[in-house]
């Protein structure tokens, strides 16, 4: 009996080693089969999904570049060019988001990740997120309304959300605005309540010129109208100014200062160069005609000169 027990104890380590070896061989065989299955079936499927996504993104890029080139050719129709740039920006952002989401779902299915619990959890999580992310849907709805109503486009100079600048990019969720000093403002579309578009149809440039009251009003008006018409007929501004300038007359009298308004109708957002040229010519014409410019009474300092015939003021005695 004792030898049999000793024989069993001597044989148990060998059988355990054999069992462990067989287990390792089974695991290696299983991993080998899974790798072969992945290489034969899943990897080609993953490659096809990525290839299709790449082709779709190249198609989107092609159409976006085509729209941008068409926008660059719209030399005489700036509004149409802005619309094309806007639609190109929205198409790029929306298409890339949709393609990326679809590719993510296919990649998860390739790796045998069950999407049903994931989508169910996402649905439950989406309810909670939706309660706190209502502004995102409001952004998208407002973005759609901005595009449908054509409130502004890429390249327009606008005032929105208490900010002003040039629209550089826009999507259904947000608008990128570049102001005069180069700062880029990202504005959610839900915060856009009022839009002041400075690039539509035409712009009106205005100058309120202050002239000293001693100047002859008829002479001042004659000089201002002549200067304004010279700028109107200038070759550099003939295509920018779309109507004759208006110099109606005296607008205000502030003590020794008289205000003469000048208004000129120009193409959209192109009035600044015209106004600078008018100011330059006014300075030169007033100098040659001897017309004095006005001085703001608020900035004048009146000092009373002492009477030269008066005796010198008595100095106060200083006690010792």
């Amino acid at each position: 009996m004792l030898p049999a027990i000793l024989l069993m104890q001597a044989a148990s380590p060998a059988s355990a080693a054999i069992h462990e070896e067989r287990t390792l061989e089974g695991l290696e065989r299983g991993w080998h089969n899974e790798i072969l299955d992945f290489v034969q079936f899943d990897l080609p499927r993953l490659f096809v999904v990525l290839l299709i996504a790449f082709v779709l993104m190249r198609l989107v890029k092609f159409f976006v570049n085509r729209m941008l080139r068409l926008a660059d050719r719209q030399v005489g129709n700036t509004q149409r060019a802005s619309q094309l740039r806007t639609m190109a920006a929205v198409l790029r952002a929306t298409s890339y988001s949709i393609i990326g989401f679809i590719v993510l779902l296919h990649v998860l299915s390739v790796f045998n990740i069950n999407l049903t619990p994931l989508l169910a959890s996402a649905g439950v999580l989406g309810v909670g997120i939706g309660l706190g992310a209502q502004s995102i849907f409001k952004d998208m709805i407002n973005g759609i309304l901005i595009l449908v109503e054509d409130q502004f486009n890429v390249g327009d100079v606008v005032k929105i959300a208490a900010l002003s600048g040039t629209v550089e990019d826009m999507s259904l969720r947000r608008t990128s605005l570049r102001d005069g000093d180069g700062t880029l403002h990202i504005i959610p579309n839900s915060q856009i309540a009022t839009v002041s578009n400075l690039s539509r149809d035409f712009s009106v440039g205005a100058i309120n010129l202050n002239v000293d009251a001693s100047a002859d009003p008829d002479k001042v008006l004659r000089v201002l109208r002549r200067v304004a018409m010279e700028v109107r007929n200038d070759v550099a501004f003939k295509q920018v100014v779309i109507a004759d300038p208006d110099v109606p007359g005296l607008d205000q009298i502030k003590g020794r200062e008289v205000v003469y308004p000048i208004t000129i109708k120009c193409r959209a957002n192109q009035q600044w160069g015209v106004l600078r040229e008018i100011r330059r010519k006014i300075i030169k014409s007033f100098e040659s005609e001897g017309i004095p410019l006005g001085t703001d009474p608020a900035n004048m300092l009146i000092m009373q000169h002492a009477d030269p015939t008066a005796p010198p003021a008595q100095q106060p005695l200083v006690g010792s």
Side-chain angles (χ1 to χ4, degrees):
M1 188 67 178
L2 184 59
I5 295 174
L6 293 176
L7 182 62
M8 292 178 60
Q9 289 178 351
S12 59
S15 62
I18 295 173
H19 179 71
E20 183 178 356
E21 184 178 354
R22 290 178 178 177
T23 303
L24 291 175
E25 290 179 356
L27 291 175
E28 291 178 359
R29 191 179 301 111
W31 279 102
H32 182 71
N33 293 334
E34 289 182 0
I35 292 175
L36 289 178
D37 291 340
F38 178 79
V39 172
Q40 292 178 357
F41 303 103
D42 295 337
L43 188 61
R45 180 182 172 189
L46 181 62
F47 176 77
V48 170
V49 169
L50 295 178
L51 180 62
I52 294 175
F54 176 77
V55 172
L56 291 177
M57 294 180 71
R58 296 295 297 180
L59 287 175
V60 171
K61 187 177 181 180
F62 169 78
F63 285 111
V64 168
N65 292 334
R66 182 71 179 272
M67 295 173 69
L68 293 177
R69 285 195 297 268
L70 289 175
D72 294 335
R73 296 173 185 172
Q74 302 292 328
V75 179
N77 191 352
T78 56
Q79 183 174 354
R80 179 60 177 170
S82 299
Q83 291 175 349
L84 288 172
R85 292 190 182 94
T86 302
M87 293 305 299
V90 173
L91 176 63
R92 180 177 59 246
T94 305
S95 300
Y96 285 0
S97 300
I98 295 175
I99 293 173
F101 180 72
I102 295 176
V103 168
L104 176 62
L105 294 181
H106 281 82
V107 169
L108 292 177
S109 64
V110 165
F111 288 99
N112 296 323
I113 298 176
N114 191 4
L115 299 179
T116 303
L118 182 63
L119 294 177
S121 301
V124 176
L125 183 62
V127 175
I129 294 177
L131 297 177
Q134 297 179 5
S135 60
I136 297 179
F137 298 99
K138 188 177 179 181
D139 291 340
M140 300 182 66
I141 293 174
N142 205 21
I144 294 173
L145 292 178
I146 289 173
L147 293 175
V148 172
E149 297 174 358
D150 194 22
Q151 298 180 14
F152 58 85
N153 296 300
V154 175
D156 287 355
V157 179
V158 297
K159 294 180 180 179
I160 54 179
L163 299 170
S164 61
T166 303
V167 179
E168 281 202 350
D169 190 19
M170 65 178 299
S171 65
L172 294 181
R173 199 195 68 81
R174 52 99 183 117
T175 298
S176 301
L177 198 67
R178 180 83 65 177
D179 64 11
D181 60 1
T183 304
L184 183 64
H185 303 281
I186 309 298
I187 306 171
N189 290 332
S190 60
Q191 296 184 10
I192 301 176
T194 303
V195 177
S196 300
N197 197 324
L198 308 181
S199 302
R200 291 293 172 86
D201 301 330
F202 62 88
S203 298
V204 177
I207 298 176
N208 290 321
L209 186 65
N210 300 326
V211 181
D212 193 271
S214 62
D216 183 8
D218 296 333
K219 183 179 180 180
V220 174
L221 291 173
R222 184 171 62 254
V223 172
L224 292 179
R225 287 166 182 159
R226 174 175 57 81
V227 168
M229 286 304 300
E230 287 178 359
V231 177
R232 167 76 169 95
N233 297 322
D234 193 335
V235 178
F237 303 102
K238 198 168 185 178
Q239 301 299 323
V240 176
V241 181
I242 59 179
D244 290 341
D246 184 21
V247 186
L250 285 73
D251 186 63
Q252 298 180 43
I253 299 177
K254 302 177 181 178
R256 295 294 302 172
E257 187 180 57
V258 181
V259 180
Y260 294 85
I262 305 172
T263 58
I264 186 166
K265 194 174 182 180
C266 306
R267 295 189 182 276
N269 204 37
Q270 298 185 27
Q271 74 274 22
W272 310 115
V274 177
L275 295 179
R276 284 192 289 268
E277 181 64 14
I278 290 178
R279 293 188 184 100
R280 187 184 71 83
K281 285 184 173 293
I282 286 175
I283 292 296
K284 297 182 67 175
S285 298
F286 276 26
E287 287 289 337
S288 61
E289 296 288 342
I291 300 175
L293 291 173
T295 305
D296 190 355
N299 295 329
M300 293 180 61
L301 178 62
I302 300 177
M303 300 182 64
Q304 185 177 2
H305 291 280
D307 187 1
T309 61
Q314 184 69 30
Q315 297 295 327
L317 297 177
V318 181
S320 56

